[in-house]
Amino acid sequence: MKHILKEAQISSLVSDSGEPGWSGEVHLAKHTEGNYVVRKCKTLQRAKEYERVFNQLSKRTILPRFFGRYGKNLLYEYLPGRDLTKKESPAIIKQVGALAARINSVKAKGSIRKKFLIQLRHLRTGYFPSLALQVQPPITEEMYRKIRKLFYYLLSQINPSIRLDMSDSNPENFRLSQGKVYFIDVEAISPRINGFGIGKAFIKWFKDIKAQKAFLKGYATVSSTRYLTKHYLDFIYLNFYIQELDIATRFGKKYNPRQRIGFDGLYALFDKYAQNIL
């Protein structure tokens, strides 16, 4: 591994659309022995966390083959093929669903409430402590109270757990190689409410009923989908809408589409559960 990192021609790895990842950590390593992917992590702690996730999922054939960690660098295989796109066949979507279920099958530790309530506080105050950033709060006190009531009402109707989750279910985070779909963004796998990534996938990717049915059919080949009741789906949708608003508020005008998704989704849930959040 060490000699590959020293001898390879290393350049930034971009998606098929030409966009680099948010982290800027992922690179293509061209070596005489072949092509590899190198993730150059900003901290050793971050590298060790990704290594742990790779090891947890290695037997589930979800991720590209992992060759190991050298300091803050992770080395894994480069998959020939293509990124997934917004429009895929039912057969490919079924693979995405099965892959999501394999990730969700790994139990994890965490809080159901903490991330949501921190993000909601950001929206109420407009203040982001980690960035020392103060902006105009995007929600009113009345909206804040409604959102909290809705969160706790939906939570009272379900029994969610914390699992590993593909929290960023973006088509460019998936790779089709030799007929098989892989999830290629280890950064997007983290302990979340079980099925959180399904919420994002249904809202932004698999919007039509046929695609959602194909996804769930694939998921059901690995795990039961019975927990995905209407209340449960609305709960993960609510968590996703607040995350979109949090991101849009932090990063500004470039992310306005996320803000529109967040507000439109919230207003629809307010209407649906009006009697429960008075």
Side-chain angles (χ1 to χ4, degrees), residues 43-61:
T43 66
L44 181 60
Q45 180 181 358
R46 190 177 175 100
K48 287 182 176 180
E49 175 61 20
Y50 293 157
E51 180 183 28
R52 186 182 66 80
V53 171
F54 268 115
N55 290 333
Q56 280 183 293
L57 296 172
S58 61
K59 294 181 180 179
R60 290 172 169 81
T61 61

Side-chain angles (χ1 to χ4, degrees), residues 164-179:
L164 284 189
D165 192 88
M166 54 174 200
S167 56
D168 190 8
S169 43
N170 182 320
E172 292 183 344
N173 286 338
F174 296 82
R175 188 85 170 162
L176 180 64
S177 182
Q178 298 181 342

Side-chain angles (χ1 to χ4, degrees), residues 140-157:
T140 64
E141 270 306 310
E142 181 183 4
M143 284 188 69
Y144 170 79
R145 288 193 294 271
K146 282 185 177 181
I147 294 166
R148 274 186 62 97
K149 283 185 178 180
L150 181 55
F151 176 85
Y152 282 107
Y153 169 72
L154 292 172
L155 183 57
S156 73
Q157 304 300 305

Side-chain angles (χ1 to χ4, degrees), residues 212-228:
Q212 292 178 5
K213 285 183 177 180
F215 179 96
L216 293 174
K217 192 172 182 179
Y219 194 101
T221 63
V222 178
S223 298
S224 172
T225 59
R226 282 180 289 181
Y227 76 97
L228 292 168

Side-chain angles (χ1 to χ4, degrees), residues 79-248:
L79 295 170
R82 66 170 178 87
D83 297 341
L84 295 195
T85 63
K86 285 288 187 181
K87 293 185 178 181
E88 292 289 351
S89 69
I92 296 299
I93 297 172
K94 282 175 64 178
Q95 285 198 55
V96 175
L99 191 154
R102 291 190 187 100
I103 296 175
N104 285 161
S105 68
V106 180
K107 295 180 180 180
K109 294 180 179 180
S111 169
I112 299 294
R113 300 170 179 80
K114 185 176 179 181
K115 191 176 188 73
F116 179 89
L117 294 177
I118 288 174
Q119 291 174 337
L120 186 57
R121 185 166 65 245
H122 293 164
L123 302 180
R124 179 193 188 190
T125 64
Y127 182 62
F128 297 82
S130 63
L131 302 173
L133 174 66
Q134 179 68 61
V135 298
Q136 181 68 28
I139 65 172
T140 64
E141 270 306 310
E142 181 183 4
M143 284 188 69
Y144 170 79
R145 288 193 294 271
K146 282 185 177 181
I147 294 166
R148 274 186 62 97
K149 283 185 178 180
L150 181 55
F151 176 85
Y152 282 107
Y153 169 72
L154 292 172
L155 183 57
S156 73
Q157 304 300 305
I158 61 177
N159 185 31
S161 61
I162 298 294
R163 301 291 181 98
L164 284 189
D165 192 88
M166 54 174 200
S167 56
D168 190 8
S169 43
N170 182 320
E172 292 183 344
N173 286 338
F174 296 82
R175 188 85 170 162
L176 180 64
S177 182
Q178 298 181 342
K180 183 175 179 180
V181 175
Y182 296 83
F183 193 70
I184 57 173
D185 188 5
V186 66
E187 181 182 1
I189 299 175
S190 61
R192 296 299 299 263
I193 297 164
N194 188 27
F196 175 84
I198 298 173
K200 177 171 183 176
F202 282 12
I203 291 167
K204 297 189 75 172
W205 188 3
F206 306 130
K207 297 178 183 180
D208 65 84
I209 297 299
K210 286 184 179 179
Q212 292 178 5
K213 285 183 177 180
F215 179 96
L216 293 174
K217 192 172 182 179
Y219 194 101
T221 63
V222 178
S223 298
S224 172
T225 59
R226 282 180 289 181
Y227 76 97
L228 292 168
T229 63
K230 290 182 179 180
H231 282 118
Y232 198 101
L233 285 170
D234 284 340
F235 184 70
I236 58 178
Y237 292 158
L238 176 62
N239 278 265
F240 175 69
Y241 294 141
I242 293 304
Q243 177 171 287
E244 290 292 88
L245 287 170
D246 181 81
I247 292 171

Side-chain angles (χ1 to χ4, degrees), residues 66-79:
F66 177 53
F67 296 114
R69 177 179 61 83
Y70 184 73
K72 294 187 288 185
N73 300 313
L74 305 172
L75 185 70
Y76 48 103
E77 71 174 317
Y78 172 80
L79 295 170

